[in-house]
Amino acid sequence: MELSTFSPEHPLLLITDYPADTGGGGAVILRSLLSQQEREKVIWLSLSGATQSDPALWKGHHRLTQGSSGMISSARRSIFLDSTWFAGNLAAEILDIAKERQARGLWVVMHGAVVHVAAHLIRAGQLPIHLTVHDDPTSYIMRSKKNFVLTPLVERDLAFALKKADSIDVICQGMAQRYKSRYGVDSTIVHRGTNQEIEPETTYDKNRFGLAIGVLGNTYSYEQLPILCQAIIEASRQLGVPGKLVIVGQSFGDRLQKHFSGQLDIDVANHLDETTAIERLRQCFMLYLNYPFSWRTRVLRQTSFPTKLSTYLMTARPIIMHVPDDSSVMPLANYSGYINLWNNCDPMTGAKILIKCWSESKSEDNFHIPAENIRQKYYDLNRNQENLFKLLNALT
C-alpha cells in the first residue's frame, strides 16, 4: 500500500516536536513506516531547534522558525513558550507552508508543544488533520519537573484535538481503550514496521561474557535500575560467575557507576546506531525491559508500548520484563521462557529469575522463534503501513 492521494506537488505535512533524525522512539516509528518513495510525498516540519546530523535520513525536513528556537535561540528552546506564547505563530507558519506547497493534509504527532499547535490548526479548519499519539501527552507532561504546570492546558488541548481530528492512530490497545472511554474517539493501532525476519541466535558464550544484562535507551526513571543491579550482584554471587550491566544509549550509567563502584561492572556506551547496538546487545545473556511501578506512572505504563522491544527482538536474546501487572506489555508474558516476568520490586525475585534462566539455558536455544512470532504480531511492516496509510489517504 502507498500514500496514493499525496504527491511531491501536493504533499502531506508531518508536524513533530523533534527533528527527523532524532534517535527517540517516535522518530524511529515514523521513519520505519515511510519508504524513500513515500518520503518524497511528505514534508517533515519540526519545532525543535536541533538540526539534522544526517540530512540523508529525511531530505524533506524543515525546522519551523516562529517558535522559541527560531525567535529566541535554538540552543535554549522553551517547550513552555512554544506551548503558550508561540503556539499560534507556529500554527500560522505551518498553514503558510501548506498554502505555498499546495499541501493536501496535515499529519500531526501529539508530543510536546505540538499538542497546542494542533489545537490551533484544528480551529483554523483549513486542512484535514490526522493525529498520531505515541506517548500519552498528559501523563508525559505530569512527569516533567520543569513543565508539569502545563498539565491542565495539555489535557484541554489534547481532548479538543482528539475529538475534532479526522482520524487518529495510537501505539497500543490500552491507549485506544483509554481514549475511547475518556474522549469518545475511535483510533487505529500502529507500531513501528519491520520486514526483516529474526535470524537464529549465535550460541551465547557464558565463559566470555558472564551474566551480562543489557539495557537499551530510556528506562523512565532511576529507581528500578539499582534494584536490577542488586539482582545481578546476587545472582552472579550464587552462580559464581562475573556479573555485568551493559547500558546502550541514554540512561543513568554514570550515576549507577558511582553507586555500585567496586560491586558491579557497569559498561556504558553512548548512543549507537541500531545495527551496532544490536551487535552489542547480542553479547548480553538477557535484555531488560521495564515500566515504572508508581501510581503516578500508571497511565504511562498502561498506554505506552516500547519501541525498543523491536530492537531487542532482532538480537534473539531472552528478555527479563520488569513491570507491574497492569502494564500494556503483559500479553508478552505468554511467551514464557523467552519473556521472563518480574512483577515486583524485590531484588531477590529478580535474582531468582536470572539464576533460573542461566541454569536452564542450553547451548542451542531457539529464542529467534518466539522473537519472530512477536515481530509478526506487533511490528509487521505491511500491516502497520496499511493501517496508517488507510487513514492518511482518507484525509483527501
Side-chain angles (χ1 to χ4, degrees), residues 47-62:
L47 275 61
S48 172
T51 55
Q52 283 189 291
S53 57
D54 183 4
L57 276 175
W58 199 287
K59 293 181 180 179
H61 172 265
H62 300 279

Side-chain angles (χ1 to χ4, degrees), residues 112-141:
V114 170
V115 173
H116 314 288
V117 176
H120 284 276
L121 292 170
I122 289 176
R123 290 189 186 97
Q126 295 185 21
L127 285 170
I129 295 180
H130 171 78
L131 302 183
T132 287
V133 191
H134 294 142
D135 293 298
D136 178 70
T138 305
S139 61
Y140 184 89
I141 202 70

Side-chain angles (χ1 to χ4, degrees), residues 149-254:
V149 294
L150 289 171
T151 299
L153 181 62
V154 171
E155 176 61 20
R156 184 199 71 184
D157 286 349
L158 174 66
F160 173 78
L162 289 173
K163 292 175 182 179
K164 297 294 183 179
D166 293 273
S167 55
I168 306 164
D169 78 84
V170 297
I171 200 63
C172 69
Q173 188 63 39
M175 183 179 283
Q177 292 171 346
R178 178 176 174 82
Y179 288 0
K180 179 66 175 178
S181 63
R182 190 174 182 87
Y183 307 115
V185 299
D186 295 316
S187 56
T188 299
I189 298 171
V190 176
H191 293 287
R192 177 189 185 179
T194 66
N195 57 9
Q196 181 178 348
E197 293 186 7
I198 309 300
E199 298 178 358
E201 66 272 28
T202 57
T203 301
Y204 184 76
D205 190 337
K206 289 184 174 181
N207 292 327
R208 179 183 177 189
F209 300 121
L211 184 64
I213 308 301
V215 179
L216 175 65
N218 178 28
T219 55
Y220 307 103
S221 65
Y222 179 74
E223 285 72 18
Q224 282 172 271
L225 290 174
I227 297 172
L228 171 63
C229 290
Q230 292 164 11
I232 299 172
I233 292 170
E234 178 60 24
S236 64
R237 185 190 67 79
Q238 292 193 37
L239 292 168
V241 300
K244 177 188 288 189
L245 179 65
V246 177
I247 298 176
V248 176
Q250 298 177 352
S251 192
F252 300 92
D254 293 343

Side-chain angles (χ1 to χ4, degrees), residues 46 53 65 81 91 107 156 177 188 278 284 325 354 382:
S46 68
S53 57
T65 62
L81 290 177
W107 175 11
R156 184 199 71 184
Q177 292 171 346
T188 299
I278 289 170
C284 296
D325 289 335
L354 296 177
N382 292 334

